[in-house]
């Protein structure tokens, strides 16, 4: 069964606006860790932000923030004041607390930021 | 900041040949990973490695695959023999610990099997 699901294949926004990318996950572990990475056009994979399951407060790093809805097994990524250079593929990922460190990735969401 | 380096960035080989993909992880990191990505699709877990041993491997990690990190040098992924379906971008990642740090990824090695 798919552990991490990103239903949005592609999103297009105008720069300086706010965008939300959806992600739902599946796990039986009571402890788990959620990550967002982005992959640039060059193929580079960059870690952006994380949310630990035991933390109630939504994580925020720069203009990235998370909307963690634990009862819905949902971890949305919010990018405020988008810039052209935010155009990339965004991957949601999960590590289960009892795992040997395997991280499951979603299929990714292509974000295009237009002027 | 610290970086994971992968050498080479692109490798072309004939089917049936052996290939070794090299990864230079962040110097104080202890956990190492390989992921496979086909044509910008999902990142698929292959294997992770700690303290000289494979911790976990996926179904994609075929018998033809092996990993090692001899004497704390490069973390390598060897495929012998290669098959056409091994063509993909292989990403190496490393992290300091199992819980507190998100793995840092290298820029990938594009493997083309002809």
């Amino acid at each position: 069964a798919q552990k991490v699901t990103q239903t949005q294949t592609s999103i297009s926004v105008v720069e300086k606006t706010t965008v939300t990318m959806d992600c739902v996950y599946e796990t039986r572990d009571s402890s788990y860790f959620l990550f967002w990475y982005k992959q640039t056009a060059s193929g580079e994979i960059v870690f952006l932000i994380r949310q630990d399951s035991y933390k109630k407060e939504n994580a925020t790093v720069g203009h990235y923030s998370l909307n963690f809805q634990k009862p819905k097994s949902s971890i949305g990524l919010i990018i405020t004041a988008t810039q052209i250079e935010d155009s990339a593929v965004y991957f949601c990922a999960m590590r289960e607390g009892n795992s040997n460190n395997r991280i499951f990735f979603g299929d990714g969401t292509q974000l295009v930021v237009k002027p | 900041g610290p970086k994971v380096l992968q050498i080479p960035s692109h490798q072309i080989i004939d089917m049936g040949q052996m290939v070794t993909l090299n990864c230079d992880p962040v110097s104080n990191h202890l956990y190492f990973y390989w992921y496979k990505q086909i044509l910008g699709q999902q990142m698929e877990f292959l294997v992770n490695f700690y303290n000289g041993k494979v911790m976990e491997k996926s179904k994609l990690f075929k018998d033809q695959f092996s990993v090692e990190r001899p004497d704390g040098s490069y973390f390598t992924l060897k495929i012998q023999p290669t098959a056409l379906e091994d063509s993909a971008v292989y990403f190496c990642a490393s992290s300091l610990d199992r819980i507190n740090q998100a793995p840092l990824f290298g820029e990938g090695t594009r493997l083309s099997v002809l």
Side-chain angles (χ1 to χ4, degrees), chain B residues 96-114:
Chain B
L96 179 60
D97 60 39
R98 195 177 75 82
I99 298 294
N100 291 318
Q101 192 183 59
L104 292 179
F105 282 79
E107 297 196 353
T109 293
R110 179 176 298 278
L111 177 64
S112 299
V113 181
L114 306 178

Side-chain angles (χ1 to χ4, degrees), chain A residues 21 36 38 46-49 58-66 77-80 85-86 90 111:
Chain A
M21 282 175 267
W36 279 90
K38 79 172 186 182
V46 180
F47 166 69
L48 298 175
I49 191 169
N58 288 324
T60 298
V61 175
H63 75 146
Y64 303 108
S65 61
L66 297 177
L77 173 68
I78 303 167
I79 307 176
T80 56
E85 50 267 33
D86 290 326
Y90 288 78
L111 174 66

